[in-house]
Amino acid sequence: MSNDTPAPRLPGHIAIIMDGNGRWAQQRRRPRVIGHRAGARAVNRTIDFCLDRGIGALTLFAFSSENWGRPQEEVDSLMKLFLGALDREVDELHRRGVRVRFIGDRSRFGASIVQRMHKAEQRTQGNRAMTLAIAASYGGRQDIALAARALAEQVAAGTLKPEQIDEELLGSHVALADLPPPDLFIRTGGDTRISNFLLWQLAYTELWFTDVLWPDFDAPILQQALDDYAGRERRFGLTSAQIAANAAQSAHP
């Protein structure tokens, strides 16, 4: 590549629905928990990739608010895996400069998990290499409803006028408000929907879907997503001509 060739445009924030663990296990006639364990290895590969590429934020949908309705045996297995990952991985993430945070309703988790979540966040809060946000017991509608409730409480207390509420103010109360919105959304497993994930935050995110099941997700497949993203024109409601004019003005102020 010559010095005159611009580097490929990278997303600053990637959000992923990690779908297909159970089907991966079923295809091999193994218990679903085996698929979730294999999926944990795919998480590590994805974190490695993002750190190597200098991607600043990665948000993973680990457990939705609707997943509590799954068979109790599977939920219990997932909680054990979650506990194990918190105990096992945080030291290495901290060493590599990763800031860990959790979004979602923690009230439904056991005290031991909540304690470990808090400990991981406190320990890594000063890290800057990458932010790893884990959505656990999370739902996008719930996220927006809680933000609306917080503003309604301010109105009721007399510290906020209804006419002061706008998109910017509401957006400052949803999860991940301190991060840029995701540039790229990825869903594995073949389904082409966002399933109540980051509904507010994904308004202008580029969407990319693959049939690959999450345990088989690896660097080459993630690179395919990045290559596709690099070729897209992100207009944010403007025209192509406006985008080109703005780019030219930025290059020659």
Side-chain angles (χ1 to χ4, degrees):
M1 182 180 292
S2 71
N3 293 334
D4 296 330
T5 303
R9 179 166 52 91
L10 288 173
H13 184 178
I14 299 175
I16 304 179
I17 291 182
M18 308 176 291
D19 199 10
N21 290 340
R23 282 172 286 158
W24 186 91
Q26 288 169 352
Q27 289 175 1
R28 290 156 178 78
R29 299 183 180 180
R30 304 294 302 277
R32 290 175 64 87
V33 67
I34 299 299
H36 293 305
R37 289 174 184 167
R41 293 191 287 273
V43 169
N44 289 333
R45 292 194 296 267
T46 303
I47 292 171
D48 290 345
F49 181 98
C50 290
L51 282 168
D52 289 344
R53 300 301 191 281
I55 291 167
L58 172 66
T59 299
L60 302 176
F61 204 3
F63 193 82
S64 76
S65 53
E66 292 80 16
N67 287 156
W68 292 107
R70 290 190 174 189
Q72 190 60 46
E73 181 180 359
E74 182 174 355
V75 172
D76 290 344
S77 296
L78 283 167
M79 293 304 104
K80 289 178 182 177
L81 282 173
F82 199 22
L83 268 173
L86 286 171
D87 289 338
R88 187 174 58 251
E89 305 293 346
V90 170
D91 286 347
E92 178 64 11
L93 291 171
H94 180 56
R95 185 188 69 79
R96 300 179 73 183
V98 177
R99 175 191 176 205
V100 179
R101 60 185 303 189
F102 299 90
I103 60 173
D105 179 11
R106 302 186 193 192
S107 66
R108 301 189 65 176
F109 289 109
S112 57
I113 289 181
V114 173
Q115 183 180 21
R116 285 170 170 83
M117 286 178 172
H118 180 71
K119 183 178 178 181
E121 289 179 325
Q122 289 295 109
R123 185 174 183 194
T124 64
Q125 63 181 348
N127 294 340
R128 295 292 179 265
M130 185 180 78
T131 295
L132 173 64
I134 300 170
S137 191
Y138 174 86
R141 290 179 175 178
Q142 171 196 69
D143 188 4
I144 296 169
L146 289 174
R149 181 189 302 174
L151 295 177
E153 289 172 349
Q154 293 179 42
V155 171
T159 59
L160 181 69
K161 295 179 180 179
E163 58 269 24
Q164 293 177 298
I165 299 174
D166 56 16
E167 290 184 19
E168 182 177 0
L169 185 59
L170 181 59
S172 70
H173 285 72
V174 299
L176 307 180
D178 61 323
L179 293 176
D183 300 297
L184 174 63
F185 163 92
I186 296 170
R187 180 171 185 153
T188 64
D191 288 332
T192 53
R193 53 181 177 266
I194 60 175
S195 296
N196 199 24
F197 182 43
L198 300 177
L199 296 181
W200 179 274
Q201 297 87 342
L202 294 179
Y204 280 100
T205 299
E206 298 297 320
L207 310 181
W208 193 84
F209 300 93
T210 177
D211 291 334
V212 171
L213 301 178
W214 177 248
D216 293 326
F217 193 75
D218 57 13
I221 299 167
L222 186 46
Q223 187 61 55
Q224 289 178 26
L226 264 61
D227 291 344
D228 184 79
Y229 170 84
R232 298 189 189 186
E233 180 183 63
R234 306 190 71 198
R235 295 191 296 273
F236 299 97
L238 302 179
T239 67
S240 296
Q242 287 175 304
I243 296 295
N246 290 341
Q249 185 176 10
S250 298
H252 304 284

